[in-house]
Each structure stands twice: as structure tokens, then as C-alpha cells.
Amino acid sequence: MRDPLVEPFDPIARLRVLAAALPGSVIAERTLDASFDQVWQVIADLETMTPRYEHNVSTVEVTDRDGARATILVTTRTGHTETMDVRLVLGWCLMHSPSTVVAFAARDAGNQTLLAHLELNRTAQPASQTGSSADAHDKLMDELHTIELLSQTPDTPPTL
Amino acid sequence: MDPGLVRAAQGGDAGAIDDLIDALVPLVRSIAFRVAGAPAEDASQEALLVIFRDLHALRTPEAIISWASAVTARVVSRIDRGDRRHRETETALDADRPAAWFDTDAVEVAEVLRRLATHDHQLLVLRDLHGYSEREVADTLGVPLGTVKSRVHRARRRFREEWNR
């Protein structure tokens, strides 16, 4: 029997703890109709898949990689570039820069997958001041839905 | 634990927060196990939520271990009080070795701890379960050293009384 004290910490719980430490962050969760492996194949393919579910992103380039740690260069649709640090392990993906935090956490749920998503944009006004927290949550839910479609047909763009 | 990591996490560095979660999970699980008397993953997660929600308020990053221990003991104790039943025991305690109390059946220890007042419970968890010095306990709980000395003495006496009840 495995020792519960040394079990890996549940990624979904980790994302909730991260959110607790990051005021202003927005999180969304959705059970995707795709296997854990299918979903994680999409999340882990940063260069190909990120621009397909995150419409503000034009390109992602992995500029350095050392095991679970990586550095990526993100270019937005408006031409802004940003270097982000990445930690990518099975079920957990954290991408962050001083201005932006993005995280994904996945838990195997049989034929389905619980996927949680966090975003924090420190350059934007807090959602609590703009009344846009619902919009921010809707954006994350849309991305989770797109990831579900990509997971079901990873080789073709989703039909939205 | 590196105080620089704690400061970076307090400053909102997501990578530092991620690393600090890894650093604190074993500690939090261990305390939750001791206090609840069984693996208590839900309570551990709740404690971690409170720790990271309140991390910005920790004024001394060097005290992260004792502070997180105290928060965990408090959160797990609160949760545990609500969902565990009373269990009786006939095990004798060595009054001269309080630290050894926690080497006995953890379930029974947790039950006795639960019957104590919260401040007695916290003192014993920190002082005798985790072996903090009285100075460290004083710093963690924000009370004078002399108060800790007298309260520990009283808390141990109450623990023995409850145990033998």
C-alpha cells in the first residue's frame, strides 16, 4: 500500500492553493469528455496547441528546456512578446512571467478528465473593479471547451 | 527552508509559490495525520489554502515552518472536531516524557487533544509533537515566553487528566 504522506499532491488542489495565493486570479474547472492522456497531450504541446485554444496568442516558442522546467517566448496577436518560465509535469502546467500567470491542472476521471485552468493578468485592471470577472471566467471556460475539442481530435483544428 | 523562497512567494512569484507548495505539503500532511489520527488529505488541502491565502501576513519568513505548523494544527483540529467520534483508551502515559505521548496511538492522542481547549491543543502540538523550543512556540503564537512556560505546564496536566479519564 502506498504511503499517503508521500503521495503526489493533487494537481487540482495545487491550482486552488495557487489561486488562494494570487489575489485577482480567475479559475475555471470543467470535466472534459476525453481521456487524461488525450487532454494532457494537448496541454503539453505548448508550441502547437497554445495558439489554438488561446486566441490572444499568435506563437509560442520553447527557447530552453531542462527536464520539467522550460522557458518560452510568447508572441501575442498584437505583436507583444513575453518570456515566461514553465514548469510542466504530468497533470500540472504552470507558465508565468512578472505580468502573467497561466496554469492548468488535470485529474484522471476514468474516460473523462477534470481540467482546471487559472489565469492572472497583472497588467489589466482587477476584475473586481471592472466587473469583468464573469467575462474572464467565460474566457477560461471557452478555452477549456476548445481544449476538449482538440483532445478529441488532436490532429485537426476544432470547429467552433 | 529558504526565507528568500518565502519572500518571493509573498511577492506573488508564481514559481516560488509552486515550489513552496512542494516544500510545505509533507509538513502539512504530517501534522494533519498526527492531529487527525489518520491520513487527512482534505484537511491538508484546506490547511494549505489557509496558509497560502494568509501568507502575505507572515511578517517573519524565517518562521514559515512554525507558522505553517500552527495554522495546520488549528485548521485540522477545527475540521477534525466536527467529524470524529469519541474513543476511550486505557493506555498509561509517562508523565515525565510528554514528547513520548505522541509515540502512542495517534488516534487516541488526537481524540484527547480534541477535548482540550484550542490554545492547549496548539501548545502541545508545537511543543511536544514537533519539538519546538518554548521561544519558538512563543514567537509562533505571538505570546510572551513566560506565558508559554506556564501554559505548557497547565496544558500537559490537562492532557494527562483527559487521557486518564
Side-chain angles (χ1 to χ4, degrees):
Chain A
M1 196 168 100
R2 298 175 71 179
D3 183 349
L5 296 182
V6 297
E7 284 280 307
F9 191 50
D10 174 51
I12 302 291
R14 177 184 292 272
L15 186 134
R16 293 170 184 160
V17 172
L18 179 66
L22 293 173
S25 59
V26 179
I27 62 173
E29 296 181 10
R30 178 185 170 98
T31 299
L32 308 190
D33 194 12
S35 71
F36 179 90
D37 289 343
Q38 288 174 306
V39 171
W40 204 248
Q41 194 172 356
V42 172
I43 299 299
D45 188 354
L46 302 177
E47 292 187 329
T48 305
M49 291 298 180
T50 306
R52 291 168 73 169
Y53 63 75
E54 169 55 86
H55 295 298
N56 295 324
V57 170
S58 174
T59 62
V60 173
E61 179 188 357
V62 178
T63 57
D64 188 31
R65 184 149 201 171
D66 182 11
R69 311 275 179 176
T71 305
I72 58 175
L73 181 65
V74 179
T75 304
T76 67
R77 301 262 178 215
T78 60
H80 172 73
T81 59
E82 185 165 29
T83 299
M84 302 181 79
D85 293 323
V86 178
R87 184 184 180 203
L88 182 65
V89 294
L90 197 62
W92 177 247
C93 177
L94 173 64
M95 300 174 273
H96 63 102
S97 70
S99 64
T100 307
V101 181
V102 178
F104 288 99
R107 183 194 295 158
D108 192 335
N111 294 328
Q112 297 181 310
T113 305
L114 176 59
L115 186 64
H117 185 13
L118 174 149
E119 281 194 9
L120 172 63
N121 183 352
R122 292 192 171 103
T123 60
Q125 277 191 296
S128 58
Q129 293 178 18
T130 62
S132 62
S133 60
D135 293 343
H137 184 263
D138 288 349
K139 172 183 178 293
L140 298 191
M141 290 301 288
D142 287 346
E143 290 175 8
L144 292 175
H145 178 56
T146 304
I147 290 167
E148 181 177 41
L149 297 175
L150 289 166
S151 302
Q152 292 164 343
T153 54
D155 295 323
T156 57
T159 303
L160 301 176
Chain B
M1 192 171 299
D2 179 11
L5 177 66
V6 179
R7 287 192 196 91
Q10 288 179 308
D13 180 330
I17 295 167
D18 195 31
D19 290 342
L20 190 57
I21 293 171
D22 284 333
L24 290 178
V25 162
L27 171 77
V28 167
R29 279 178 168 162
S30 173
I31 295 173
F33 181 92
R34 290 299 194 109
V35 173
E41 192 62 14
D42 288 348
S44 297
Q45 293 176 12
E46 179 69 22
L48 284 160
L49 281 170
V50 174
I51 289 167
F52 280 87
R53 183 198 67 196
D54 296 343
L55 185 64
H56 65 279
L58 176 64
R59 285 175 292 181
T60 312
E62 291 78 4
I64 181 69
I65 295 294
S66 52
W67 177 75
S69 298
V71 171
T72 302
R74 189 169 63 242
V75 170
V76 175
S77 174
R78 174 175 52 79
I79 294 172
D80 198 45
R81 269 198 301 272
D83 59 18
R84 290 188 63 85
R85 293 177 300 162
H86 171 75
R87 288 184 59 176
E88 293 187 353
T89 175
E90 296 178 351
T91 306
L93 290 173
D94 181 347
D96 295 329
R97 297 177 58 239
W101 300 348
F102 299 96
D103 294 333
T104 57
D105 189 315
V107 174
E108 293 162 356
V109 169
E111 174 56 35
V112 174
L113 284 171
R114 189 165 47 253
R115 296 205 298 267
L116 301 180
T118 300
H119 60 269
D120 286 344
H121 184 146
Q122 289 175 357
L123 280 170
L124 292 179
V125 167
L126 292 174
R127 182 73 181 93
D128 294 329
L129 174 57
H130 289 285
Y132 292 144
S133 68
E134 289 174 335
R135 166 56 63 192
E136 289 172 322
V137 173
D139 292 343
T140 300
L141 299 180
V143 297
L145 179 59
T147 304
V148 169
K149 288 176 185 289
S150 59
R151 283 185 181 174
V152 165
H153 179 73
R154 281 202 305 270
R156 286 173 177 166
R157 177 168 49 79
R158 287 173 183 142
F159 185 92
R160 285 195 299 272
E161 290 169 357
E162 287 296 327
W163 185 274
N164 294 323
R165 211 174 260 249

